[in-house]
Amino acid sequence: MMNITSSSSDFYLVEGGKRLKGSVRVSGSKNASLPIIFATLLTSESCTVQEAPNLLDVRNALSLLEYLGAESYRVGENLYIKAERLKSHETPHHIVRKMRASILSMGPLLVRFGEAVVAMPGGCSIGLRPVDQHIKLFERAGARVSIKHGYIYLKADKLKPIEFDFDLVTVTGTENALLLLSAVEGRSILRNVAIEPEVLDLIEVLRKMGAEIELWDRTIEIRGTPNLTGFSHRVIPDRIEAGTFMVASLITGGDIVLENIRLEHLGSVCGKLEECGGVIEKIGSNRVRVYRKGAYIHPTNIQTQEYPGFPTDMQAQFMSLLSLANGVSEITENIFENRFQHVAELSRMGADIKIHGRTAVVRGVEKISGAEVFSTDLRASAGLVLAGLVAEGRTTIRDIYHLDRGYEFIDKKLRKLGASIERLTEHED
Ligand code: EPZ
């Protein structure tokens, strides 16, 4: 297995102008794999997670599990995990700092030990990302929670089933609730939950482990059990990686085939791609062909919303695409308060984008030119790679460790489609 080192001095060199052609396989979903990996802590039995992508975030989640005492190993696309003997109930800051989803260890540790100590995930470049809903839920379920020195301390003599209404839709908040309450005897009701495909994939796993879970509208009913069993599960394809490659085909005027895709997870993204002039043809049970109908990318307006609305994780990628549309587009980011950092970098490539509060007004230009640009967060860096594919000349994209968190071998996959992209390391002279 290729060992990917992710040093901060790595960068991508992209020569623009190649139309993408050929087929590429979409990897398993990062945001489904992470909560499912933490679900393995709820049982001492063996668990198999199939098609878990080999990403920095997944490797960080596994190193946290090892730190806690679980055993895990990877054979190709499959992860084998067994959390039989846990030796710690503490998730330290140096791990949480690298991966905020470590907060999903809170429920399983509380269930296994009756107490948990989890470092507060700080904000990140896209926003403050508070965890008030997570904490409110745990208190309602009977945990005594205190926050000091940047850590969340939880103790629970007896966890109880609850009825809980989320004040807002939160993906990992819903996942934390599912992980905790699946192990709590009795009937719990959650309202105003997130219904992203990754949440539903976690529900599938918890059902296999023995929890009874029903979902309707934005309501979840859980009948938990303290005797959750091991499982084997193939994670869903990564809809954001798939969407990113769809945009790559449109922005370069290419014609590609994506394997291992669940189109039903991409309704709002496909709708917008078609408005921009894209054609998405289903050519098999999980294969689609994506190409651009005519010479132009058409403008459109985008509002990011919770699923099934347009995903915030596709906003940066569409910003790059619409920078080259033959008209004006408006993109409003409703989920995170600071997710326009790619705008400054795209502007250095010649894009014409003005930000008014939560809305970016994108005035399409004929062409953009290659430049040296810096990644600021996972999806912004994906947007910059897409811009580099079509920019005139050479684009250097730095700080690509952000990309390694969420895209498995994106340069290899893009090269397979004919892109000119290379991963290089800056050597200190
Ligand atoms: C998940 O983050 C994803 N991460 C994110 O993907 C994704 O962008 C986000 O959902 C929205 O879809 C994983 O699944 C690991 P939220 P999460 O809680 O759960 C506010 C990527 O690129 N909020 O749904 O942290 C929050 O500040 C990453 O793969 C509270 O105010 O997002 C945000 O504005 C980036 N209080 C909004 O809700 C809370 O207690 C949605 O956040 C929780 C959230």
Side-chain angles (χ1 to χ4, degrees), residues 373-412:
V373 289
F374 284 79
S375 309
T376 50
D377 63 271
L378 166 54
R379 305 304 174 182
S381 29
L384 294 174
V385 169
L386 295 173
L389 294 177
V390 72
E392 282 196 343
R394 172 173 292 184
T395 299
T396 305
I397 302 163
R398 297 200 178 277
D399 294 348
I400 53 172
Y401 54 88
H402 289 292
L403 259 169
D404 295 337
R405 293 192 46 205
Y407 290 90
E408 192 176 29
F409 312 126
I410 192 168
D411 51 332
K412 218 165 100 181

Side-chain angles (χ1 to χ4, degrees), residues 31-49 61-62 64-65 68 70 79 81-84 86 101-109 111-112 175-183 198-199 201-211 213 225-233 235:
N31 289 350
S33 301
L34 294 174
I36 289 168
I37 286 170
F38 285 107
T40 66
L41 293 173
L42 289 167
T43 178
S44 53
E45 296 183 7
S46 298
C47 303
T48 304
V49 185
L62 294 173
L64 170 55
L65 259 66
L68 297 170
L79 289 180
I81 301 173
K82 189 167 188 175
E84 190 173 11
L86 294 184
S102 311
I103 192 164
L104 293 170
S105 59
M106 210 148 80
L109 292 177
V111 165
R112 293 283 292 257
E175 291 167 347
N176 237 341
L178 282 162
L179 290 165
L180 177 76
L181 297 168
S182 290
E198 295 76 31
V199 175
D201 212 27
L202 173 64
I203 288 174
E204 278 313 302
V205 165
L206 293 168
R207 283 176 174 149
K208 289 180 178 178
M209 297 178 78
I213 302 174
T225 166
N227 311 308
L228 293 169
T229 67
F231 64 87
S232 179
H233 185 77
V235 301

Side-chain angles (χ1 to χ4, degrees), residues 29-32 34-35 57 99-104 124 126-136 166-175 194 196 198-199 238-240 305-307 310-314 317 333-339 358 377-380 405-407:
S29 162
K30 161 175 97 80
N31 289 350
L34 294 174
D57 270 10
M99 198 201 51
R100 332 170 17 76
S102 311
I103 192 164
L104 293 170
C124 73
I126 64 177
L128 284 174
R129 305 189 72 179
V131 290
D132 54 293
Q133 299 295 303
H134 302 239
I135 289 167
K136 197 171 160 185
F166 283 97
D167 297 328
L168 51 85
V169 174
T170 157
V171 174
T172 45
T174 302
E175 291 167 347
E196 269 68 1
E198 295 76 31
V199 175
D238 194 308
R239 62 190 167 104
I240 304 301
Q305 299 293 353
E306 299 86 359
Y307 192 89
F310 187 91
T312 173
D313 292 350
M314 283 299 303
Q317 297 91 316
E333 173 53 62
N334 296 304
I335 304 294
F336 289 110
E337 66 269 27
N338 186 33
R339 205 171 196 178
R358 282 187 172 258
D377 63 271
L378 166 54
R379 305 304 174 182
R405 293 192 46 205
Y407 290 90

Side-chain angles (χ1 to χ4, degrees), residues 260-264 282-288:
N260 189 37
I261 185 167
R262 297 272 292 271
L263 263 192
E264 67 272 23
K282 204 167 163 59
I283 54 175
S285 60
N286 59 2
R287 296 174 76 226
V288 293

Side-chain angles (χ1 to χ4, degrees), residues 43-332:
T43 178
S44 53
E45 296 183 7
S46 298
C47 303
T48 304
V49 185
Q50 296 155 10
E51 294 230 7
N54 189 355
L55 296 172
L56 197 53
D57 270 10
V58 170
R59 292 196 296 276
N60 282 333
L62 294 173
S63 62
L64 170 55
L65 259 66
E66 312 257 326
Y67 174 89
L68 297 170
E71 293 155 13
S72 75
Y73 61 95
R74 174 183 283 271
V75 177
E77 302 264 289
N78 296 342
L79 289 180
Y80 300 90
I81 301 173
K82 189 167 188 175
E84 190 173 11
R85 277 179 294 280
L86 294 184
K87 63 186 181 204
S88 166
H89 64 276
E90 177 163 343
T91 297
H93 182 249
H94 71 271
I95 291 184
V96 175
R97 191 174 51 80
K98 283 186 285 188
M99 198 201 51
R100 332 170 17 76
S102 311
I103 192 164
L104 293 170
S105 59
M106 210 148 80
L109 292 177
L110 192 59
V111 165
R112 293 283 292 257
F113 290 95
E115 62 180 325
V117 180
V118 178
M120 280 288 276
C124 73
S125 64
I126 64 177
L128 284 174
R129 305 189 72 179
V131 290
D132 54 293
Q133 299 295 303
H134 302 239
I135 289 167
K136 197 171 160 185
L137 174 110
F138 276 78
E139 288 177 326
R140 179 75 60 80
R144 293 184 307 286
V145 180
S146 63
I147 296 176
K148 47 184 186 281
H149 316 304
Y151 277 80
I152 308 167
Y153 292 80
L154 304 102
K155 270 191 186 303
D157 307 326
K158 177 111 179 72
L159 288 163
K160 57 185 192 298
I162 55 172
E163 288 211 22
F164 184 82
D165 292 63
F166 283 97
D167 297 328
L168 51 85
V169 174
T170 157
V171 174
T172 45
T174 302
E175 291 167 347
N176 237 341
L178 282 162
L179 290 165
L180 177 76
L181 297 168
S182 290
V184 174
E185 198 97 56
R187 176 178 175 272
S188 294
I189 295 278
L190 299 169
R191 294 186 191 89
N192 198 23
V193 300
I195 54 172
E196 269 68 1
E198 295 76 31
V199 175
L200 272 59
D201 212 27
L202 173 64
I203 288 174
E204 278 313 302
V205 165
L206 293 168
R207 283 176 174 149
K208 289 180 178 178
M209 297 178 78
E212 289 174 32
I213 302 174
E214 295 303 323
L215 167 72
W216 67 93
D217 303 332
R218 282 192 185 271
T219 302
I220 289 177
E221 179 189 69
I222 309 169
R223 291 181 188 283
T225 166
N227 311 308
L228 293 169
T229 67
F231 64 87
S232 179
H233 185 77
R234 180 166 171 260
V235 301
I236 53 173
D238 194 308
R239 62 190 167 104
I240 304 301
E241 185 195 21
T244 305
F245 279 105
M246 288 175 157
V247 172
S249 182
L250 256 70
I251 204 169
T252 60
D255 185 340
I256 69 171
V257 170
L258 291 177
E259 320 265 352
N260 189 37
I261 185 167
R262 297 272 292 271
L263 263 192
E264 67 272 23
H265 294 163
L266 283 151
S268 54
V269 171
C270 289
K272 286 300 168 190
L273 282 169
E274 284 160 355
E275 286 177 29
C276 296
V279 178
I280 295 121
E281 269 171 21
K282 204 167 163 59
I283 54 175
S285 60
N286 59 2
R287 296 174 76 226
V288 293
R289 178 188 170 206
V290 182
Y291 58 96
R292 196 170 77 200
K293 202 159 21 195
Y296 295 109
I297 297 165
H298 301 296
T300 184
N301 297 325
I302 288 175
Q303 294 269 350
T304 65
Q305 299 293 353
E306 299 86 359
Y307 192 89
F310 187 91
T312 173
D313 292 350
M314 283 299 303
Q315 180 256 106
Q317 297 91 316
F318 268 77
M319 178 91 69
S320 297
L321 178 68
L322 293 169
S323 296
L324 291 153
N326 62 343
V328 181
S329 307
E330 291 195 357
I331 300 178
T332 303

